[in-house]
Amino acid sequence: MELLYSVLATVAAYLIGSLSFAVIVSRVMGLNDPRTYGSGNPGATNVLRSGNKAAALLTLVFDALKGFVPVVLVDQFGMRFGLGEGTTALVALAAFLGHLWPVFFRFHGGKGVATAAGVLMGINPWLGLATLATWLIVAAFFRYSSLASIVAAVFAPFYQLLIWGGGPEAIAITVMGLLLLWRHSANIQKLLRGTESKIGQKAAAAAVAAPHANAHLHPHGHSHSHSHSHKHGAKR
């Protein structure tokens, strides 16, 4: 029976994680689907690009809760059903994977930062706070949500292993960290090129680079006239 309960808890956590609150909140508040603007990522940072801070905050809170609640429920009530640390780790990972590949939204999910934060808070509040502090410090100094998430994803497993030791939960945290890095691979490239959007940057502003990219595709079009006008201006 313990195995059945463990499987049921894991599946339930995945289904809860599959609730894409960026899309749900945007629909309820009459906003555009976050998958259609900015980075196209259904997460709080991209919802913030819509200019609606309340929607972004609600997305952040609910995305964190869907990681936090399943983990805490298993941690608090799992023992009576024979569920231990192994199931807690599975539930934590399942909720996170649900956000990345949500069954209710054609498996088109977000990057999982808020959900991972909720999972860490559920596993160990001190670990969650240490990781959150890391994110806030990097975000405050550099104003890049992606960079803050990348650094936090790297540090979280080290915090767990160095302070609280190994075990199933440490494995789950490490897997989440690696998946977060993978989901941010495009952001890493943008950071290296200096084209990454900063926190709070509007969707329209984030797309400014697109016309310039298109100009290079038409060397005999606007890019040529722009170059000509620039030279003409330089002669003046």
Side-chain angles (χ1 to χ4, degrees):
M1 287 301 290
E2 286 85 358
L3 177 60
L4 177 61
Y5 288 139
S6 181
V7 170
L8 289 174
T10 303
V11 171
Y14 169 76
L15 294 176
I16 292 171
S18 290
L19 297 171
S20 185
F21 284 106
V23 179
I24 295 169
V25 170
S26 294
R27 285 179 183 173
V28 171
M29 299 185 72
L31 303 173
N32 291 330
D33 190 316
R35 295 170 295 183
T36 64
Y37 62 80
S39 66
N41 178 60
T45 302
N46 201 40
V47 173
L48 184 61
R49 293 191 178 105
S50 72
N52 193 314
K53 293 181 180 179
L57 180 60
L58 285 172
T59 299
L60 179 67
V61 170
F62 282 116
D63 275 352
L65 282 174
K66 73 183 185 184
F68 177 79
V69 171
V71 172
V72 169
L73 287 176
V74 172
D75 187 54
Q76 294 295 314
F77 304 106
M79 289 298 292
R80 67 183 68 177
F81 300 102
L83 305 180
E85 188 180 345
T87 301
T88 302
L90 284 173
V91 164
L93 195 55
F96 178 73
L97 292 176
H99 181 83
L100 266 57
W101 294 287
V103 66
F104 304 126
F105 295 87
R106 300 181 181 180
F107 302 101
H108 181 188
K111 292 170 184 172
V113 176
T115 303
V119 165
L120 294 180
M121 284 289 188
I123 291 175
N124 182 343
W126 290 111
L127 171 62
L129 289 172
T131 307
L132 178 61
T134 303
W135 190 96
L136 289 171
I137 290 169
V138 176
F141 274 94
F142 297 100
R143 305 298 298 170
Y144 289 111
S145 174
S146 56
L147 179 62
S149 300
I150 291 162
V151 174
V154 171
F155 273 71
F158 283 103
Y159 290 149
Q160 173 65 30
L161 290 169
L162 291 174
I163 302 173
W164 294 282
E169 292 174 347
I171 294 172
I173 293 165
T174 302
V175 171
M176 285 194 298
L178 291 171
L179 285 170
L180 279 167
L181 290 177
W182 173 64
R183 294 290 276 195
H184 282 84
S185 56
N187 300 92
I188 293 171
Q189 294 298 319
K190 288 181 181 179
L191 285 166
L192 292 173
R193 292 196 301 264
T195 58
E196 179 69 323
S197 301
K198 293 195 173 185
I199 294 173
Q201 188 172 344
K202 296 291 182 66
V208 163
H212 296 289
N214 291 334
H216 291 295
L217 297 176
H218 304 283
H220 300 294
H222 294 292
S223 61
H224 178 75
S225 61
H226 174 74
S227 175
H228 177 75
S229 63
H230 179 73
K231 288 177 182 176
H232 181 70
K235 288 179 182 177
R236 290 182 183 179

